[in-house]
Amino acid sequence: MYAITIPEPGGPEALVWDEVPDPVPAEGEVLVEVVASAVNRADLLQRQGLYNPPPGASPYPGLECSGRVAAVGPGVVGWSVGDEVCALLSGGGYAQKVAVPTGQLLPVPAGLELRQAAALPEVTCTVWSNVFMVAHLRPGETLLVHGGSSGIGTMAIQLAKAVGAKVAVTAGSREKLDFCAELGADILINYREQDFVEEIERATGGAGADVILDNMGAKYLDRNVRALAVNGRLAIIGMQGGIKAELNIAALLNKRAAVSATSLRARPLSEKAAIVAAVREHVWPLLDSGHVRPVVDRELPMSDAAGAHRVLEESSHIGKVLLVAP
């Protein structure tokens, strides 16, 4: 098969479409013939040599895919050759084939094209696990999503609205904010022109955001704490704004607030399977009914992964960028 390899860390040009050995499904795994994968910022870090796959995972980038089951390993039940699936991966999505533990497989939602389903596993698992399983967003509360027009952001808006929450978003252009509004966002903040702390305070009558989903990390830590409501929950899922910052413990104590930070890739298989099962129970019915949908900005050939990485680095996209396998 062919896959995107990284002979040496570097810029987008470091991604090489090359022939590699086929993976073999182990106990409890299936082999998926990949139709499409999606690009995540973690892939950019891996390309730069800053985010290596966990031990035993595929060395190729790609944290999600869609495709068809091509073979089943020993002990597999409930899945058969020919099933159309999408999958949460520890790596290997930028390839023509990938071996996947069955606990990380999901069926393709009704009415969705197979390749579009590649845009779902990482965002649905990230949003559901952080916003609902960890931060426990409830109906009537306010969720602030940084990067509202991203793949994560567009899914977070829809799921929060589906449970009856109010949604605030930050984004860097009127076009992106308008798209967030079309998805249901109530409070639109241009982070290039407005202070999100002031805007959240104004929009909530001084109460603040009950839950904040943050992809920036260090750069936003102090302002995120100030933007939280009493008993607020800050869920950090990224570090685009750096890794080190001071935390005002007094401010956190005064608000009786909580800060959590999670990642998916290195979790034990049992934890990933639990998240995938929760997503299938709570999110998949919304996808099947059409109340929630993936947002795909564009599709590129998998061999042009470098071009897809440049799109993410420019932040010119809305939603997900897909790589389509030949």
Side-chain angles (χ1 to χ4, degrees):
M1 72 168 189
Y2 277 80
I4 290 292
T5 64
I6 311 173
E8 295 291 338
E13 68 281 355
L15 301 172
V16 178
W17 184 243
D18 202 1
E19 191 168 9
V20 299
D22 285 16
V24 177
E27 179 86 21
E29 293 183 340
V30 303
L31 183 67
V32 174
E33 184 176 351
V34 176
V35 168
S37 184
V39 183
N40 292 279
R41 291 202 175 269
D43 303 337
L44 277 61
L45 294 175
Q46 179 174 342
R47 187 201 75 216
Q48 296 164 2
L50 302 175
Y51 190 32
N52 293 326
S58 170
Y60 317 124
L63 299 180
E64 56 192 335
C65 74
S66 62
R68 298 178 181 89
V69 175
V72 297
V76 170
V77 294
W79 300 96
S80 302
V81 172
D83 285 348
E84 294 191 341
V85 299
C86 55
L88 180 70
L89 308 173
S90 298
Y94 291 19
Q96 291 179 311
K97 298 176 184 177
V98 63
V100 186
T102 55
Q104 292 165 219
L105 290 174
L106 288 157
V108 175
L112 206 62
E113 293 184 11
L114 179 55
R115 68 180 186 278
Q116 289 181 304
L120 290 172
E122 182 74 14
V123 295
T124 54
C125 289
T126 296
V127 172
W128 191 263
S129 62
N130 283 279
V131 175
F132 298 95
M133 297 174 72
V134 174
H136 302 291
L137 181 70
R138 294 182 288 268
E141 290 190 323
T142 298
L143 168 69
L144 168 60
V145 182
H146 290 302
S149 63
S150 66
I152 293 289
T154 53
M155 182 56 63
I157 294 168
Q158 294 179 82
L159 292 181
K161 295 301 293 185
V163 302
K166 189 174 185 179
V167 179
V169 298
T170 63
S173 72
R174 172 48 55 187
E175 177 192 9
K176 291 182 176 182
L177 289 172
D178 287 346
F179 191 89
C180 292
E182 291 177 14
L183 292 177
D186 306 284
I187 303 165
L188 309 175
I189 303 167
N190 187 325
Y191 67 82
R192 300 181 191 278
E193 302 172 355
Q194 298 168 291
D195 183 328
F196 71 80
V197 179
E198 294 178 358
E199 296 304 318
I200 286 294
E201 182 176 359
R202 181 179 300 112
T204 61
D210 300 287
V211 175
I212 299 176
L213 185 62
D214 174 59
N215 61 350
M216 292 300 293
K219 183 178 180 179
Y220 278 9
L221 181 60
D222 178 67
R223 284 189 287 165
N224 277 333
V225 172
R226 286 192 280 129
L228 280 174
V230 173
N231 295 315
R233 291 86 72 195
L234 168 61
I236 301 173
I237 59 169
M239 47 189 180
Q240 293 179 43
I243 62 175
K244 293 184 179 181
E246 289 190 359
L247 176 63
N248 187 332
I249 301 298
L252 204 64
L253 287 169
N254 287 339
K255 292 190 173 183
R256 302 188 295 281
V259 178
S260 64
T262 72
S263 65
L264 273 174
R265 190 178 200 180
R267 286 178 183 249
L269 293 182
S270 59
E271 291 187 16
K272 290 183 183 178
I275 292 170
V276 169
V279 165
R280 184 167 183 176
E281 177 183 357
H282 298 285
V283 179
W284 246 237
L286 297 170
L287 288 159
D288 286 334
S289 66
H291 285 93
V292 171
R293 61 185 175 89
V295 175
V296 176
D297 184 276
R298 70 193 74 180
E299 300 176 0
L300 296 172
M302 191 170 285
S303 57
D304 189 23
H309 278 219
R310 292 186 182 98
V311 170
L312 257 69
E313 289 178 337
E314 295 164 358
S315 291
S316 59
H317 61 297
I318 293 176
K320 301 285 282 190
V321 176
L322 298 187
L323 294 173
V324 179

